[in-house]
Amino acid sequence: MTVFDDLQAECDALDVLVADLPLELWAAPTPAPGWTIAHQIAHLAWTDEQAAFAARSPEAFSAALAEITDPDAYVDAGAAAGADLPPAELLEHWRRTRTDVVQSLREIPPGGRIPWFGPPMAATSMATARLMETWAHGQDVADTLGVRVPATDRIRNVAHIGVRARDYAFFVNGLTPPATEFLVTLTGPSGAVWTWGPADAEQRVTGPALDFALLATRRRHRDDLAVTADGKDASRWLDCAQAFAGPAGQGRGPGQFG
């Protein structure tokens, strides 16, 4: 399995939740303030469309990007516009864009870079980022519907971004990143154990990969998760970890989901 296969599978898993959704539930408010289920799917469709555009027409994408003065408002406007579509039309639009982004990323030659709102990315990195977002926004949909989606080892992709974004999480919260690496040891749903960082690191983070992914995407509060830190800096990281770019947002409150 490649990360492109994982991305396709993650999209398909979310599709199961919304494929037969009653019309009125598309307008149901999700844990993300101001966003309905329609906003969640519209955001994914818009971002997938942008990623496919960047992959296939990098110069045109870069030129369009240079005209944007407020990236956060630009992204939110894309979600709002899509949420105004009739649900059936929005669903079909998302199915097209997600298929297109997977195919366009598969076509990028090794070593190729894709321009983006942040630094240029390799195709595999872009696919991992798209998977992370699909999984995180899918969690919002699942929470809204009150359902639990079985975790899979695809969660490793989400955890990987969360680990690699450690220093960014410190920066965006006005903190100085630690000078040394941590050892991060996470257990996947299958029982597989994944590690990042040097084995002799003085500070460590351990726990279920699912819990770490929920923490890093700010879909659960730290108090509700079984992720533990050994070391002052490692503990501070768990308070500010985030796997996505931009403002951290308000996150979720302790005990919000029981």
Side-chain angles (χ1 to χ4, degrees), residues 4 105-115 120-125:
F4 308 115
L105 293 178
R106 289 185 190 273
E107 293 171 356
I108 298 294
R113 308 291 287 180
I114 303 167
M121 305 171 70
T124 52
S125 296

Side-chain angles (χ1 to χ4, degrees), residues 7-49:
L7 172 56
Q8 183 65 63
E10 201 62 49
C11 292
D12 292 344
L14 176 53
D15 196 303
V16 171
L17 291 184
V18 298
D20 299 313
L21 201 62
L23 189 64
E24 64 274 11
L25 285 182
W26 283 89
T30 68
W35 276 27
T36 65
I37 288 179
H39 283 88
Q40 300 280 356
I41 299 302
H43 172 71
L44 292 174
W46 182 88
T47 315
D48 285 344
E49 186 172 43

Side-chain angles (χ1 to χ4, degrees), residues 40-233:
Q40 300 280 356
I41 299 302
H43 172 71
L44 292 174
W46 182 88
T47 315
D48 285 344
E49 186 172 43
Q50 293 294 310
F53 174 35
R56 288 187 167 148
S57 303
E59 292 183 0
F61 176 85
S62 296
L65 186 61
E67 300 296 320
I68 300 171
T69 57
D70 188 341
D72 291 334
Y74 185 63
V75 172
D76 287 345
D84 285 340
L85 295 173
E89 186 176 339
L90 171 58
L91 182 58
E92 286 306 310
H93 176 56
W94 174 53
R95 287 170 173 167
R96 288 193 301 271
T97 60
R98 77 188 203 221
T99 298
D100 191 34
V101 75
V102 171
Q103 183 58 40
S104 64
L105 293 178
R106 289 185 190 273
E107 293 171 356
I108 298 294
R113 308 291 287 180
I114 303 167
W116 196 234
F117 294 93
M121 305 171 70
T124 52
S125 296
M126 178 69 81
T128 304
R130 298 308 313 130
L131 188 154
M132 179 272 293
E133 273 219 271
T134 301
W135 181 84
H137 290 288
Q139 184 65 50
D140 289 336
V141 173
D143 287 337
T144 303
L145 299 176
V147 301
R148 183 184 295 273
V149 178
T152 73
D153 278 4
R154 294 192 299 271
I155 206 74
R156 186 182 188 281
N157 296 286
V158 183
H160 179 77
I161 291 185
V163 172
R164 296 305 184 200
R166 186 200 72 168
D167 288 0
Y168 174 79
F170 277 91
F171 275 126
V172 81
N173 283 278
L175 302 171
T176 301
T180 59
E181 292 186 70
F182 305 152
L183 173 63
V184 181
T185 304
L186 304 175
T187 304
S190 69
V193 177
W194 306 314
T195 63
W196 293 262
D200 61 350
E202 293 184 359
Q203 301 198 58
R204 303 177 177 221
V205 168
T206 60
L210 173 60
D211 285 23
F212 180 79
L214 288 165
L215 179 76
T217 56
R218 302 183 65 81
R219 262 55 186 185
R220 291 293 186 273
H221 192 275
R222 178 182 177 180
D223 291 353
D224 297 332
L225 301 169
V227 182
T228 60
D230 181 9
K232 181 180 178 180
D233 289 334

